[in-house]
Amino acid sequence: GAVVSQHPSWVICKSGTSVKIECRSLDFQATTMFWYRQFPKQSLMLMATSNEGSKATYEQGVEKDKFLINHASLTLSTLTVTSAHPEDSSFYICSAGPLRETQYFGPGTRLLVL
Amino acid sequence: GDSVTQMEGPVTLSEEAFLTINCTYTATGYPSLFWYVQYPGEGLQLLLKATKADDKGSNKGFEATYRKETTSFHLEKGSVQVSDSAVYFCALSEGGSQGNLIFGKGTKLSVKP
């Protein structure tokens, strides 16, 4: 079946640094990818919709200058957490699909900011 | 706004027991409803879905019926196995898309042999 990969699977960084997370569709092209954030024991919250070749659409309350999204190709979207702080520590998950009606989720990236 | 409420876990069952995980939703329109499963160390996988009222989604012995009158989409399985141990998420999406999903908080299921 379709596979979506994320890299890295986990990352630890110092406060103030930036971290880039990649989301790749391995056997299909995706014009749209979605980024979610999951806090411990809580549901996934949609952060933004990543659109190939255009600007991402952010959900209310998500800082677009804090969470930079780049969807430079039909198989890759990146989420950059800029000037990361401890409160940004979380589990970040992407989804992608050949169609919006069918989405496959990546395994997630666990970020810990010290 | 739209929301999903599912029963809190964790849920612990013995093998071959009957499973029900309750899920109710609030939506302004006519959403599609989904159940996702997350096995340890893996990404979310679509388990089943229903796109309109009275539809029944089913997969791997799991079932859920879209009940518009009670705004519910409860997940059931008649006989659980140890391999069903995972976290289950109820979700909705407007317009049939699996993008822009609104998730419940997830219910962790542990099945003991």
Side-chain angles (χ1 to χ4, degrees):
Chain A
V3 177
V4 174
S5 71
Q6 284 185 239
H7 178 80
S9 56
W10 61 271
V11 57
I12 301 173
C13 69
K14 292 183 178 179
S15 185
T17 61
S18 294
V19 175
K20 180 184 287 186
I21 302 170
E22 295 183 347
C23 176
R24 293 183 185 272
S25 56
L26 299 184
D27 54 4
F28 61 90
Q29 294 182 332
T31 56
T32 303
M33 295 184 178
F34 299 90
W35 286 96
Y36 294 84
R37 182 174 179 176
Q38 184 179 25
F39 293 96
K41 299 184 179 181
Q42 296 195 29
S43 63
L44 284 75
M45 302 294 293
L46 179 65
M47 298 175 64
T49 303
S50 174
N51 304 299
E52 189 271 334
S54 65
K55 291 182 179 180
T57 305
Y58 290 83
E59 295 300 301
Q60 191 173 9
V62 178
E63 299 175 61
K64 60 181 180 181
D65 295 329
K66 174 74 170 177
F67 299 99
L68 299 179
I69 291 173
N70 183 24
H71 195 151
S73 78
L74 289 170
T75 59
L76 173 64
S77 175
T78 61
L79 168 68
T80 301
V81 183
T82 62
S83 186
H85 286 14
E87 58 265 28
D88 299 323
S89 298
S90 193
F91 195 52
Y92 294 89
I93 301 172
C94 71
S95 75
L99 301 170
R100 287 180 75 99
E101 291 75 19
T102 304
Q103 291 289 304
Y104 301 95
F105 285 81
T109 296
R110 189 166 298 283
L111 170 63
L112 177 61
V113 184
L114 302 177
Chain B
D2 295 357
S3 66
V4 174
T5 302
Q6 63 181 101
M7 65 184 286
E8 293 190 21
V11 174
T12 302
L13 296 174
S14 298
E15 209 165 19
E16 300 184 2
F18 184 85
L19 168 71
T20 299
I21 300 178
N22 290 338
C23 172
T24 57
Y25 68 90
T26 302
T28 54
Y30 300 94
S32 294
L33 301 175
F34 308 86
W35 276 101
Y36 284 85
V37 59
Q38 187 175 33
Y39 297 103
E42 299 184 17
L44 274 77
Q45 301 174 28
L46 178 65
L47 181 60
L48 54 84
K49 68 178 182 180
T51 58
K52 61 182 188 297
D54 299 327
D55 269 2
K56 177 186 284 188
S58 61
N59 185 27
K60 299 181 180 181
F62 291 89
E63 293 183 340
T65 302
Y66 189 142
R67 301 287 188 197
K68 188 170 180 293
E69 63 276 13
T70 55
T71 61
S72 64
F73 193 55
H74 304 323
L75 182 68
E76 295 182 337
K77 186 174 185 181
S79 177
V80 294
Q81 304 300 312
V82 173
S83 57
D84 294 325
S85 298
V87 181
Y88 293 81
F89 292 90
C90 185
L92 70 79
S93 177
E94 295 282 4
S97 169
Q98 286 183 43
N100 295 36
L101 288 162
I102 296 172
F103 286 89
K105 291 188 175 183
T107 302
K108 183 177 182 179
L109 170 66
S110 295
V111 180
K112 305 299 183 184

